[in-house]
Amino acid sequence: MPAKDKVSEAVVRRLPVYHRYLERLEEEGVTRISSQELGARMGLTASQIRQDINCFGALGQQGYGYNVSELRRHIAEILGLGDDYGVVVIGAGNIGRAVASYTGFARLRFRVEALFDTDEARVGERIGDAEIHRLDALGAFLADHPIDIGIVATPAAAAQGAADMLVAGGVRAIWNFAPVDIAAPEGCAVQNVQLTDNLLVLTYHIHNDAPGGGA
Amino acid sequence: MPAKDKVSEAVVRRLPVYHRYLERLEEEGVTRISSQELGARMGLTASQIRQDINCFGALGQQGYGYNVSELRRHIAEILGLGDDYGVVVIGAGNIGRAVASYTGFARLRFRVEALFDTDEARVGERIGDAEIHRLDALGAFLADHPIDIGIVATPAAAAQGAADMLVAGGVRAIWNFAPVDIAAPEGCAVQNVQLTDNLLVLTYHIHNDAPGGGA
């Protein structure tokens, strides 16, 4: 079910978080939850929760809350979680290998179909079910295989070039782990993973919180 | 300079993003920027920008904007970026190795001092300057070395146990890459990296955006 109108990127980024929390509630056997309770768990206000969920068609009833499973399935559908996704990984170094064999993908329907690298010594090696190919075989591979998502795990200097090859091959989304932001034309979504942002939240707390106690 | 009051976690999470954008502005030679322009670049409203920055002491002048370098240095100080941080990595599989050798850390002052693993075959191997030790040597290592940050890169089932060992050893912050959330007592900050959240933003766009065009 495609969203009716353009939904803000901030709401889109919160959807996977909703999905995770609702999954956990299902596991705990919770069948119904109010926007207040859900907000308290997620660190959002009740009105923020209601506003977000209204963007995708209201499923809650005033004074009655949300049906946890229904809402979880509804969000899963919006996120495209019922579909299968073909994935290639560019760069078969530590990050590329780690991502290609990430166990968190197992329960989602992502198939890593191939890795690509410029290092001849790596070509032919297998990571799980996927083989490492020469980078210059990428174009031909994309022409033959329905690949939705390209993961960029190259050094910074090679990242934009890898992204351009993926775009030229018709990939619809790029997940970038190289330590530099990459750009893609409209029609190809990009998520730049900024690992250090995450780390700096920790240094903030080390620097500002009292040791062994509250802030 | 510690923050005066408790700052909301949402603001703390935006600080590294401000720092990245301001660094880029400095590189571009921009010396002064208005909250409107900074907001437009970052996808935030001008009033959100002013509110965030006010949390840490206002440096802008009405109608005059912010001094880019001053603001960048101020945020760097708040983030504790001038300090040195000792790091250990628990789990020397693909993710642990990738994180331990992540080049994005080079310009920050993080020293990966050791990795720890239960796999005897890995013990003694070096990743960059750091050696892989037996996991049961972790407590003694933490007693002897000033370690601030523990990175958990174990399988899901071992993650909380690893975190507990790090907390017992006095580590102030944990960065968790295992595909399960971990908890720590107050006084130890935790960032759970949710790699799949990021990926689901991409499946949303594949599922909802028109191919080759806008939404």
Side-chain angles (χ1 to χ4, degrees):
Chain A
M1 179 187 319
K4 287 140 243 147
D5 299 308
K6 194 157 173 81
V7 173
S8 89
E9 199 61 24
V11 176
V12 172
R13 271 200 292 265
R14 278 196 291 275
L15 281 176
V17 186
Y18 280 108
H19 191 264
R20 256 197 296 121
Y21 277 87
L22 290 164
E23 252 183 344
R24 203 171 309 161
L25 287 166
E26 272 189 318
E27 284 164 18
E28 292 172 18
V30 177
T31 56
R32 199 159 270 287
I33 194 160
S34 66
S35 47
Q36 283 80 4
E37 284 171 90
L38 186 55
R41 284 196 178 226
M42 293 181 60
L44 295 171
T45 65
S47 96
Q48 178 78 79
I49 299 267
R50 285 193 298 267
Q51 211 177 303
D52 285 354
I53 291 172
N54 283 343
C55 285
F56 296 102
L59 294 172
Q61 272 177 270
Q62 193 68 40
Y64 193 58
Y66 299 102
N67 178 314
V68 169
S69 297
E70 239 176 55
L71 183 58
R72 211 262 317 140
R73 281 197 302 271
H74 186 65
I75 291 176
E77 201 181 348
I78 292 165
L79 287 171
L81 271 177
D83 300 353
D84 284 298
Y85 296 96
V87 177
V88 293
V89 179
I90 317 299
N94 284 317
I95 292 183
R97 284 157 198 263
V99 173
S101 52
Y102 186 61
T103 55
F105 298 159
R107 62 192 193 83
L108 306 170
R109 289 159 70 177
F110 295 95
R111 305 178 314 277
V112 176
E113 302 217 339
L115 294 88
F116 294 85
D117 204 291
T118 53
D119 183 349
E120 287 292 336
R122 291 172 176 166
V123 171
E125 199 185 324
R126 296 189 82 83
I127 309 294
D129 290 334
E131 193 178 322
I132 304 177
H133 300 257
R134 301 161 56 108
L135 182 59
D136 52 23
L138 176 61
F141 189 92
L142 293 175
D144 282 349
H145 298 77
I147 298 298
D148 304 286
I149 299 173
I151 297 177
V152 174
T154 64
Q160 186 62 55
D164 295 344
M165 290 174 78
L166 289 164
V167 169
V171 158
R172 303 275 313 277
I174 296 175
W175 200 19
N176 174 36
F177 285 83
V180 62
D181 281 358
I182 58 169
E186 241 188 293
C188 180
V190 175
Q191 287 279 297
N192 292 299
V193 177
Q194 293 288 352
L195 286 176
T196 46
D197 282 5
N198 224 292
L199 188 55
L200 297 188
V201 171
L202 292 178
T203 62
Y204 169 87
H205 285 293
I206 294 172
H207 195 67
N208 294 281
D209 295 353
Chain B
M1 179 186 319
K4 286 142 241 144
D5 298 310
K6 194 156 174 80
V7 172
S8 89
E9 199 61 23
V11 176
V12 171
R13 272 200 292 263
R14 278 198 291 276
L15 281 176
V17 186
Y18 281 107
H19 191 265
R20 257 198 295 121
Y21 276 87
L22 291 164
E23 252 183 346
R24 204 173 306 162
L25 287 166
E26 273 188 317
E27 282 164 21
E28 292 173 17
V30 177
T31 56
R32 199 158 270 288
I33 194 160
S34 67
S35 48
Q36 283 80 4
E37 286 172 87
L38 187 56
R41 285 194 176 228
M42 293 181 60
L44 294 171
T45 64
S47 96
Q48 178 77 81
I49 299 266
R50 284 193 298 268
Q51 213 176 303
D52 284 354
I53 292 174
N54 283 344
C55 284
F56 295 102
L59 294 172
Q61 273 177 269
Q62 194 69 38
Y64 193 59
Y66 298 102
N67 178 314
V68 169
S69 296
E70 238 174 57
L71 183 57
R72 212 263 316 142
R73 281 197 303 271
H74 186 66
I75 291 176
E77 200 181 349
I78 292 164
L79 286 170
L81 272 177
D83 300 354
D84 285 298
Y85 296 97
V87 177
V88 293
V89 179
I90 316 300
N94 284 316
I95 293 184
R97 283 157 198 263
V99 173
S101 51
Y102 185 61
T103 54
F105 298 159
R107 61 192 193 83
L108 305 171
R109 288 159 71 176
F110 295 96
R111 303 178 316 276
V112 176
E113 302 217 339
L115 295 89
F116 293 85
D117 205 290
T118 52
D119 182 350
E120 287 291 336
R122 291 173 174 163
V123 171
E125 199 187 324
R126 296 188 83 82
I127 310 293
D129 290 335
E131 193 177 324
I132 304 177
H133 301 256
R134 302 161 56 108
L135 182 59
D136 52 22
L138 176 62
F141 189 92
L142 292 175
D144 281 349
H145 298 77
I147 298 297
D148 304 286
I149 300 173
I151 297 177
V152 174
T154 63
Q160 186 62 54
D164 294 345
M165 289 173 78
L166 289 165
V167 169
V171 159
R172 302 276 312 278
I174 295 175
W175 200 19
N176 174 36
F177 284 82
V180 63
D181 281 1
I182 58 170
E186 241 187 293
C188 181
V190 175
Q191 285 280 295
N192 293 298
V193 177
Q194 292 289 353
L195 286 176
T196 48
D197 281 5
N198 224 292
L199 188 54
L200 297 188
V201 172
L202 292 178
T203 63
Y204 169 87
H205 285 293
I206 293 173
H207 195 67
N208 293 283
D209 295 353

